[in-house]
Amino acid sequence: MPGEPDDCAPLATSAPAGWQRAGSGDYDYQGSTVSRGIDLDVCQFDNVAHAKAAYDQWPDTDETAPLKTGQVGEESVFLAHSGSSGTVYGYSRSGTVIARVEVEDAGADPTDAHDVLAATIKRLQQVQAGQRATATAPEIAAMEQTQR
């Protein structure tokens, strides 16, 4: 769904410089053994410098620990909340687009956050190249496995 300028701002501040548009989505997965809430925000900027500046302000490192996982886009970082929430945060930038995902009850496992960001960024890259947006998380995971 269409996002608001403050969706692109760190910690509920005003819209960052160069903001053009945003989109956001929420998904609640109710599994038989695992349930997760997933929130995604995607923001586009007028140039790479503005996107990079906004991306650099996004990660909230309070009470979080970095997680090792594959890189997504040109820059990415994954953080696990060090409290009992088990929430994982993922942040990525590719060109003039930045994306962040929050996965609740992930138990410090970055897999879902990585997959959501990787599929989102790859689909955006496909559209920017004039192709259909067809990338899926399993396809990307398989490509990453063959590159190792």
Side-chain angles (χ1 to χ4, degrees):
M1 66 185 169
E4 299 293 327
D6 59 349
D7 290 341
C8 299
L11 302 175
T13 60
S14 61
W19 175 86
Q20 289 187 323
R21 72 187 97 195
S24 64
D26 299 329
Y27 178 73
D28 289 321
Y29 171 75
Q30 302 294 320
S32 60
T33 58
V34 175
S35 297
R36 290 199 169 88
I38 300 173
D39 296 323
L40 174 69
D41 292 308
V42 180
C43 301
Q44 184 175 13
F45 293 84
D46 59 354
N47 63 51
V48 173
H50 284 141
K52 178 144 179 50
Y55 170 83
D56 289 343
Q57 293 177 14
W58 254 5
D60 182 6
T61 56
D62 289 342
E63 298 182 29
T64 61
L67 298 169
K68 292 189 185 241
T69 190
Q71 182 168 321
V72 175
E74 295 169 38
E75 298 181 80
S76 61
V77 65
F78 295 87
L79 305 169
H81 189 272
S82 56
S84 62
S85 72
T87 301
V88 171
Y89 304 93
Y91 305 89
S92 180
R93 183 188 65 79
S94 180
T96 60
V97 174
I98 59 176
R100 68 179 159 198
V101 65
E102 176 182 341
V103 181
E104 297 171 355
D105 300 317
D109 180 355
T111 304
D112 288 341
H114 177 270
D115 288 354
V116 168
L117 281 181
T120 300
I121 293 295
K122 183 65 176 175
R123 283 177 170 226
L124 288 168
Q125 289 169 340
Q126 287 174 322
V127 169
Q128 290 172 352
Q131 303 167 353
R132 289 189 65 206
T134 60
T136 65
E139 288 173 348
I140 293 166
M143 285 188 304
E144 287 178 352
Q145 287 290 42
T146 60
Q147 293 173 355
R148 290 182 189 174

